[in-house]
Amino acid sequence: MLLTVLGSNGTYPTPGRPASGYLVTEGATIWVDAGPGTLVALLERASIAEVDALVLSHGHGDHCLDVIPLFNLLRYGRPRRDPLPVYAPEGVAGRLAAFVGAGPGHDFFRKFAFVTIAPGATAEVGGISLSWGAAVHPVPAVVTRAEGGGASLAYSGDTGPGGDLVEIASGVDLLLCEATDQGARMAGDYPYHLFAAEAGEAAAAAGVGRLLVTHVAPTLDVVASVAEAAAAFGGPVEWAAPGLEVEL
Ligand SMILES: [Zn+2]
């Protein structure tokens, strides 16, 4: 199983650093999250015809807005005959469709085949088994596990402490975990994202092989995020740098 980081910036892209997006390849190729900048990063590596499915962890713009230019690519570039399966939580398809003014029968619903996912859902895409659990976020959001070819990984999407992250990531080879903030959580801090140390704690609790921290706020130094996560995890930690490829 190959994980490719298309982008990993928390909340907004900066030059050379798209927002959240990843490719998971094992027989099939799954694009996970389509944050701003990730479509171009993907096209630098692959054709959209090679993508078997898109998984959107939730409907926040930094995780899904590249579906809009993707729709235009599919509509006007005609790179594929069949609709692209899109797995996304409740409400995401409707919000994206509304942006392009798509009512029933619109091309939007011929170019994409939306499948609503929720905690407990599973799917098979080529050689990859997907399963989802609950994230702690202010909109419907999931944590994702992918298994195939004897390897496994888990992805937090956006989540605060709790939810199903530790359960979904149990024993995986690699946990790709958001670490939006740094330092110690104080009373009243935003409950819907993780601090780097909390990502490390989740990795330790789940007993994962290695940790990649992602969704670090662009104003922060990723070296410090990695150090804080590593201190809490006690295992190997890296930053999910754009372009990074990890073979599992
Ligand atoms: Zn979010």
Side-chain angles (χ1 to χ4, degrees):
M1 179 179 285
L2 178 68
L3 170 69
T4 304
V5 178
L6 301 174
S8 61
N9 258 26
T11 73
Y12 60 94
T14 53
R17 295 186 176 190
S20 294
Y22 314 90
L23 292 180
V24 177
T25 305
E26 173 57 52
T29 295
I30 302 177
W31 179 8
V32 181
D33 276 352
T38 57
L39 173 59
V40 167
L42 186 154
L43 294 175
E44 287 170 349
R45 293 165 175 80
S47 154
I48 202 68
E50 298 169 49
V51 175
D52 297 290
L54 171 61
V55 173
L56 300 173
S57 64
H58 65 296
H60 280 157
D62 58 320
H63 293 256
C64 69
L65 278 184
D66 266 11
V67 167
I68 305 304
L70 172 62
F71 169 60
N72 285 356
L73 189 164
L74 295 174
R75 191 182 207 186
Y76 301 116
R78 302 176 186 276
R80 57 187 298 147
R81 302 173 75 106
D82 54 322
L84 178 68
V86 181
Y87 297 87
E90 183 73 40
V92 176
R95 292 169 78 165
L96 293 168
F99 189 88
V100 298
H106 192 276
D107 244 8
F108 191 79
F109 297 106
R110 282 189 286 273
K111 296 303 178 184
F112 298 117
F114 283 96
V115 179
T116 301
I117 54 173
T122 61
E124 297 285 330
V125 177
I128 304 173
S129 300
L130 297 167
S131 55
W132 291 283
V136 178
H137 214 51
V139 296
V142 292
V143 295
T144 301
R145 181 183 180 109
E147 296 184 66
S152 57
L153 68 81
Y155 169 50
S156 66
D158 281 3
T159 188
D164 295 333
L165 177 60
V166 169
E167 182 184 345
I168 247 348
S170 178
V172 293
D173 298 312
L174 182 147
L175 170 60
L176 176 62
C177 190
E178 77 128 282
T180 307
D181 211 341
Q182 292 175 348
R185 180 177 293 278
M186 312 294 273
D189 278 341
Y190 192 70
Y192 302 120
H193 283 301
L194 295 177
F195 287 70
E198 292 171 332
E201 289 164 6
V208 308
R210 58 197 287 193
L211 171 64
L212 275 188
V213 293
T214 192
H215 202 273
V216 177
T219 51
L220 300 177
D221 176 8
V222 295
V223 174
S225 297
V226 168
E228 291 179 11
F233 175 32
V237 182
E238 283 180 88
W239 173 53
L244 180 70
E245 295 186 344
V246 182
E247 184 78 51
L248 300 171

